[in-house]
Amino acid sequence: MLNPGPVAAPPMGLIAELTHRCPLQCFYCSNPLELERASAELSTDEWRAVLDQAAALGVLQVHFSGGEPMARADLVDLVAHASARGLYTNIITSGVQLTDAALAQLLDAGIDHIQLSFQDAEVEGADFIGGYRGGHDKKLAAARRIREAGLPLTANFVVHKQNAERVEAMIALGEALQAERIEIAHVQYYGWGLVNRNALLPSLAQLEHCTAVVEAARVRLKGRIIIDYVVPDYYARRPKACMGGWGNRFINVSPAGKALPCHAAETLPGFTFPNVRDETLGDIWQHSDAFVRYRGTDWMPDPCRSCDRRELDWGGCRCQALAIAGDAAAVDPACAMSPAHHLLADAVAEAAAAVDVPLVPRRMGSARR
Amino acid sequence: MTEEAAIPSFRRGVKFRRDEVRDAWVLLAPERLFMPDETAVEILKLVDGKRSIAAIIDDLVARFDAPREVIAPDVIATFDDLKARGAVQC
Ligand code: SF4
Ligand code: SF4
């Protein structure tokens, strides 16, 4: 479907989800429940074309993610290709496959930055959450390799009910690994995170503890280490600017080539997401219904339309509006102005009352009952 | 606060480059990017890991024919900001 609309400013970032394959099985993985099979993945040449089009369109940074991007044998090729087009290249990886040889190849290819995800500050919790024995130690080794190679490092820690007590230790680990940037990111409740919400959603006291620790660490580490902090929306009064606004800053391309305004958008009904196999990124960005529909402020429902925050949070997250309020075009329920805001408090109460909740690991077919 | 004698350099993983599509300078850093304003662009162009902040100020004073008392606080404030954002070290 084509929508003429006004000309949109170029996108800043491309999130290239190379594959859904991953040796880990984190309970909060943001990938969709229907994981894409390897046979459906874009080929190397198709990804090269996407990178060319992205650079021409004005994309400045490419984030190779997944799944585990290192599960693709052509990752090094793609990094080299992106780098030759002047794109800033970033890999978001679990690090368990980042051997000396792999890192040397990535360096040759011109990699600019690596984000390493950690499941916890201590081995037992980390290997449990990742479902991969020995994973944590491999990550520590990977972090040291990145450091020794002189590359910048982001250490990403995903926080939830079961590890919120260790936020201080997570920051200390990031410091010990000499990361330039530490991300303390609460689980976002989409995909597998939503399935496992009762086992993962922290209490208000836990959240407040995390926030206090992060704020103190930011003061202490100012000018040395950047700490980015992402909160769960369930205690918020205002939503986050999801993806910096729909179709405003990012294009996400799924392993099978679907172009999405956000990696969770595939769950939205009533959309036909364009595929990079059929259309150019430029056409998708400028004209596709999928990117135009919630872009800017014209689509907004009532409290947002006249709200002075409308160009700050862009009305929040469409996927959360769907998941909680049942309507993707509604105000994000994280906003206190949303008629569905109370549903978040209900979810908090449900998670607090839940004991011994079985966790569903992220793997092919496990979300189907 | 940043001293004039300090020598600023880009931190690891930070790139300052011209973007032809936007016809603008951009500062690219790990998972963030900045669109520096005109003043910041002129300052950033002089960051080479060798020049001190004092030398950068002198250069701008000469080129823009403006009093040092006006330029210096701007330059210092810009570096304070870039440092806090993790783009520059000095
Ligand atoms: S969140 Fe865990 S399971 Fe999901 S892609 Fe990342 S490392 Fe793999
Ligand atoms: S009413 Fe809409 S624009 Fe205003 S704060 Fe809430 S979600 Fe954001």
Side-chain angles (χ1 to χ4, degrees), chain A residues 19-31 35 65-69 92-95 117 119 129-130 139 158 192 362-363:
Chain A
T19 178
H20 281 158
R21 286 174 283 145
C22 183
L24 274 64
Q25 326 180 3
C26 308
F27 301 107
Y28 49 70
C29 183
S30 62
N31 284 161
L35 295 168
S65 79
E68 172 52 67
I92 300 170
T93 177
S94 71
S117 67
Q119 280 67 26
I129 293 290
K139 286 158 186 278
V158 182
W192 300 85
R362 167 223 195 264
R363 51 173 180 251

Short mmCIF file of all heavy atoms in Angstrom, two decimals, chain A residues 19-31 35 65-69 92-95 117 119 129-130 139 158 192 362-363, ligand 1:
data_model
loop_
_atom_site.label_atom_id
_atom_site.label_comp_id
_atom_site.label_asym_id
_atom_site.label_seq_id
_atom_site.Cartn_x
_atom_site.Cartn_y
_atom_site.Cartn_z
N THR A 19 19.80 -13.09 12.04
CA THR A 19 19.30 -14.45 12.24
C THR A 19 18.56 -14.53 13.58
O THR A 19 18.82 -13.73 14.48
CB THR A 19 20.47 -15.46 12.25
OG1 THR A 19 19.95 -16.77 12.49
CG2 THR A 19 21.49 -15.14 13.34
N HIS A 20 17.67 -15.48 13.71
CA HIS A 20 17.09 -15.75 15.03
C HIS A 20 17.81 -16.91 15.72
O HIS A 20 17.51 -17.24 16.86
CB HIS A 20 15.60 -16.08 14.91
CG HIS A 20 14.75 -14.84 14.75
ND1 HIS A 20 13.50 -14.87 14.20
CD2 HIS A 20 14.98 -13.55 15.06
CE1 HIS A 20 12.99 -13.65 14.18
NE2 HIS A 20 13.87 -12.83 14.69
N ARG A 21 18.77 -17.51 15.02
CA ARG A 21 19.51 -18.59 15.67
C ARG A 21 20.33 -18.01 16.81
O ARG A 21 20.87 -16.91 16.70
CB ARG A 21 20.44 -19.27 14.66
CG ARG A 21 19.70 -20.16 13.67
CD ARG A 21 20.63 -20.68 12.61
NE ARG A 21 20.93 -19.67 11.61
CZ ARG A 21 22.09 -19.55 11.00
NH1 ARG A 21 23.09 -20.37 11.27
NH2 ARG A 21 22.29 -18.60 10.10
N CYS A 22 20.41 -18.73 17.91
CA CYS A 22 21.19 -18.26 19.05
C CYS A 22 21.49 -19.44 19.96
O CYS A 22 20.61 -20.26 20.22
CB CYS A 22 20.41 -17.21 19.83
SG CYS A 22 21.37 -16.53 21.21
N PRO A 23 22.72 -19.58 20.43
CA PRO A 23 23.03 -20.68 21.33
C PRO A 23 22.40 -20.50 22.72
O PRO A 23 22.32 -21.46 23.49
CB PRO A 23 24.56 -20.66 21.42
CG PRO A 23 25.00 -19.33 20.92
CD PRO A 23 23.90 -18.77 20.08
N LEU A 24 21.96 -19.27 23.03
CA LEU A 24 21.34 -19.04 24.33
C LEU A 24 19.82 -19.13 24.23
O LEU A 24 19.26 -19.17 23.14
CB LEU A 24 21.76 -17.67 24.88
CG LEU A 24 23.10 -17.67 25.66
CD1 LEU A 24 24.26 -18.05 24.77
CD2 LEU A 24 23.36 -16.33 26.30
N GLN A 25 19.16 -19.12 25.39
CA GLN A 25 17.71 -19.25 25.41
C GLN A 25 17.10 -18.35 26.48
O GLN A 25 16.27 -18.79 27.28
CB GLN A 25 17.29 -20.69 25.72
CG GLN A 25 18.20 -21.76 25.17
CD GLN A 25 17.72 -23.16 25.52
OE1 GLN A 25 16.67 -23.35 26.13
NE2 GLN A 25 18.48 -24.15 25.13
N CYS A 26 17.54 -17.10 26.52
CA CYS A 26 17.09 -16.20 27.58
C CYS A 26 15.56 -16.11 27.65
O CYS A 26 14.91 -15.95 26.64
CB CYS A 26 17.66 -14.81 27.34
SG CYS A 26 19.43 -14.82 27.11
N PHE A 27 15.07 -16.14 28.88
CA PHE A 27 13.62 -16.16 29.10
C PHE A 27 12.95 -14.85 28.69
O PHE A 27 11.74 -14.78 28.61
CB PHE A 27 13.32 -16.41 30.58
CG PHE A 27 13.89 -17.71 31.08
CD1 PHE A 27 14.99 -17.74 31.91
CD2 PHE A 27 13.30 -18.91 30.71
CE1 PHE A 27 15.52 -18.94 32.37
CE2 PHE A 27 13.81 -20.12 31.16
CZ PHE A 27 14.93 -20.13 32.00
N TYR A 28 13.76 -13.80 28.51
CA TYR A 28 13.18 -12.48 28.20
C TYR A 28 13.48 -12.05 26.78
O TYR A 28 13.27 -10.89 26.44
CB TYR A 28 13.73 -11.43 29.17
CG TYR A 28 15.23 -11.49 29.29
CD1 TYR A 28 16.03 -11.11 28.22
CD2 TYR A 28 15.84 -11.96 30.44
CE1 TYR A 28 17.40 -11.20 28.30
CE2 TYR A 28 17.22 -12.05 30.53
CZ TYR A 28 17.99 -11.67 29.45
OH TYR A 28 19.35 -11.76 29.53
N CYS A 29 14.01 -12.93 25.98
CA CYS A 29 14.45 -12.54 24.64
C CYS A 29 13.35 -11.74 23.93
O CYS A 29 12.18 -12.09 23.97
CB CYS A 29 14.80 -13.78 23.84
SG CYS A 29 15.43 -13.37 22.21
N SER A 30 13.75 -10.66 23.26
CA SER A 30 12.76 -9.81 22.60
C SER A 30 12.40 -10.30 21.20
O SER A 30 11.59 -9.69 20.52
CB SER A 30 13.28 -8.38 22.54
OG SER A 30 14.46 -8.35 21.76
N ASN A 31 12.99 -11.40 20.78
CA ASN A 31 12.61 -11.96 19.48
C ASN A 31 11.16 -12.42 19.52
O ASN A 31 10.62 -12.71 20.58
CB ASN A 31 13.50 -13.16 19.14
CG ASN A 31 14.89 -12.76 18.69
OD1 ASN A 31 15.81 -13.56 18.72
ND2 ASN A 31 15.06 -11.52 18.29
N LEU A 35 10.00 -18.00 15.86
CA LEU A 35 11.37 -17.73 15.43
C LEU A 35 11.55 -18.14 13.96
O LEU A 35 11.02 -19.16 13.53
CB LEU A 35 12.36 -18.47 16.32
CG LEU A 35 12.36 -17.99 17.78
CD1 LEU A 35 13.14 -18.95 18.67
CD2 LEU A 35 12.94 -16.59 17.89
N SER A 65 22.41 -7.50 14.79
CA SER A 65 21.91 -8.18 15.97
C SER A 65 21.24 -9.48 15.55
O SER A 65 21.48 -9.99 14.46
CB SER A 65 20.95 -7.26 16.74
OG SER A 65 19.70 -7.23 16.12
N GLY A 66 20.40 -10.01 16.42
CA GLY A 66 19.76 -11.29 16.10
C GLY A 66 18.60 -11.52 17.04
O GLY A 66 17.92 -10.56 17.40
N GLY A 67 18.51 -12.72 17.57
CA GLY A 67 19.44 -13.83 17.62
C GLY A 67 20.90 -13.43 17.86
O GLY A 67 21.20 -12.37 18.34
N GLU A 68 21.72 -14.37 17.51
CA GLU A 68 23.16 -14.18 17.67
C GLU A 68 23.76 -13.90 16.30
O GLU A 68 23.85 -14.81 15.47
CB GLU A 68 23.76 -15.44 18.32
CG GLU A 68 25.27 -15.46 18.37
CD GLU A 68 25.84 -14.18 18.99
OE1 GLU A 68 25.63 -13.98 20.18
OE2 GLU A 68 26.49 -13.39 18.27
N PRO A 69 24.18 -12.65 16.04
CA PRO A 69 24.69 -12.34 14.70
C PRO A 69 25.90 -13.18 14.32
O PRO A 69 26.13 -13.45 13.15
CB PRO A 69 25.05 -10.85 14.79
CG PRO A 69 25.13 -10.55 16.24
CD PRO A 69 24.21 -11.48 16.93
N ILE A 92 25.80 -6.56 18.30
CA ILE A 92 25.16 -6.84 19.58
C ILE A 92 25.17 -8.35 19.75
O ILE A 92 24.48 -9.07 19.04
CB ILE A 92 23.72 -6.28 19.59
CG1 ILE A 92 23.77 -4.77 19.37
CG2 ILE A 92 23.01 -6.63 20.90
CD1 ILE A 92 22.42 -4.13 19.11
N THR A 93 26.02 -8.81 20.66
CA THR A 93 26.29 -10.25 20.70
C THR A 93 26.29 -10.79 22.13
O THR A 93 26.54 -10.06 23.08
CB THR A 93 27.66 -10.55 20.04
OG1 THR A 93 27.96 -11.95 20.15
CG2 THR A 93 28.79 -9.77 20.69
N SER A 94 26.05 -12.08 22.23
CA SER A 94 26.18 -12.74 23.53
C SER A 94 27.65 -13.04 23.81
O SER A 94 28.03 -13.32 24.93
CB SER A 94 25.38 -14.05 23.53
OG SER A 94 26.03 -15.01 22.71
N GLY A 95 28.48 -13.00 22.77
CA GLY A 95 29.92 -13.13 22.95
C GLY A 95 30.44 -14.55 23.11
O GLY A 95 31.65 -14.76 23.16
N SER A 117 26.29 -8.80 25.81
CA SER A 117 25.20 -8.92 26.77
C SER A 117 25.60 -9.89 27.88
O SER A 117 26.24 -10.91 27.64
CB SER A 117 23.94 -9.43 26.07
OG SER A 117 24.13 -10.76 25.64
N GLN A 119 23.93 -11.89 31.38
CA GLN A 119 22.65 -12.28 31.98
C GLN A 119 22.63 -12.05 33.49
O GLN A 119 21.59 -12.08 34.11
CB GLN A 119 22.34 -13.75 31.65
CG GLN A 119 21.77 -13.98 30.25
CD GLN A 119 22.76 -13.69 29.14
OE1 GLN A 119 23.96 -13.77 29.30
NE2 GLN A 119 22.24 -13.34 27.97
N ILE A 129 19.92 -18.23 33.42
CA ILE A 129 19.05 -17.40 32.57
C ILE A 129 19.35 -17.63 31.09
O ILE A 129 18.44 -17.73 30.26
CB ILE A 129 19.22 -15.89 32.92
CG1 ILE A 129 18.67 -15.61 34.33
CG2 ILE A 129 18.55 -15.01 31.90
CD1 ILE A 129 17.17 -15.70 34.48
N GLY A 130 20.62 -17.72 30.75
CA GLY A 130 20.99 -17.93 29.34
C GLY A 130 20.76 -19.36 28.88
O GLY A 130 20.72 -19.62 27.68
N LYS A 139 31.87 -15.11 28.08
CA LYS A 139 31.62 -13.68 27.91
C LYS A 139 32.72 -12.84 28.57
O LYS A 139 33.15 -11.83 28.03
CB LYS A 139 30.27 -13.30 28.54
CG LYS A 139 29.07 -13.76 27.75
CD LYS A 139 27.86 -13.84 28.66
CE LYS A 139 26.70 -14.45 27.90
NZ LYS A 139 26.01 -13.46 27.07
N VAL A 158 20.85 -7.32 31.61
CA VAL A 158 19.39 -7.31 31.58
C VAL A 158 18.89 -7.65 32.99
O VAL A 158 19.29 -8.66 33.58
CB VAL A 158 18.85 -8.31 30.55
CG1 VAL A 158 17.33 -8.25 30.51
CG2 VAL A 158 19.41 -7.99 29.17
N TRP A 192 9.15 -12.98 24.35
CA TRP A 192 9.33 -13.97 25.41
C TRP A 192 9.23 -13.32 26.78
O TRP A 192 8.82 -13.96 27.75
CB TRP A 192 10.68 -14.66 25.22
CG TRP A 192 10.73 -15.36 23.89
CD1 TRP A 192 11.07 -14.80 22.70
CD2 TRP A 192 10.37 -16.71 23.62
NE1 TRP A 192 10.95 -15.73 21.69
CE2 TRP A 192 10.54 -16.92 22.22
CE3 TRP A 192 9.93 -17.78 24.42
CZ2 TRP A 192 10.26 -18.14 21.61
CZ3 TRP A 192 9.68 -19.00 23.80
CH2 TRP A 192 9.85 -19.16 22.43
N ARG A 362 13.46 -19.55 25.60
CA ARG A 362 13.30 -19.15 24.22
C ARG A 362 13.91 -20.21 23.32
O ARG A 362 15.11 -20.35 23.21
CB ARG A 362 14.04 -17.82 24.01
CG ARG A 362 14.22 -17.42 22.56
CD ARG A 362 15.64 -16.90 22.40
NE ARG A 362 15.84 -16.17 21.17
CZ ARG A 362 16.33 -16.72 20.07
NH1 ARG A 362 16.61 -18.01 20.00
NH2 ARG A 362 16.54 -15.97 19.01
N ARG A 363 13.09 -20.98 22.69
CA ARG A 363 13.59 -21.84 21.63
C ARG A 363 12.45 -22.21 20.71
O ARG A 363 11.28 -22.02 21.06
CB ARG A 363 14.32 -23.07 22.16
CG ARG A 363 13.60 -23.87 23.18
CD ARG A 363 14.37 -25.15 23.47
NE ARG A 363 13.65 -25.90 24.48
CZ ARG A 363 14.05 -26.05 25.73
NH1 ARG A 363 15.18 -25.55 26.13
NH2 ARG A 363 13.31 -26.72 26.59
S1 SF4 C 1 18.28 -12.31 24.45
FE1 SF4 C 1 19.43 -14.22 24.83
S2 SF4 C 1 18.33 -15.76 23.59
FE2 SF4 C 1 17.67 -13.74 22.82
S3 SF4 C 1 19.07 -13.32 21.13
FE3 SF4 C 1 19.95 -12.38 22.97
S4 SF4 C 1 21.38 -13.92 23.80
FE4 SF4 C 1 20.01 -14.99 22.35
#
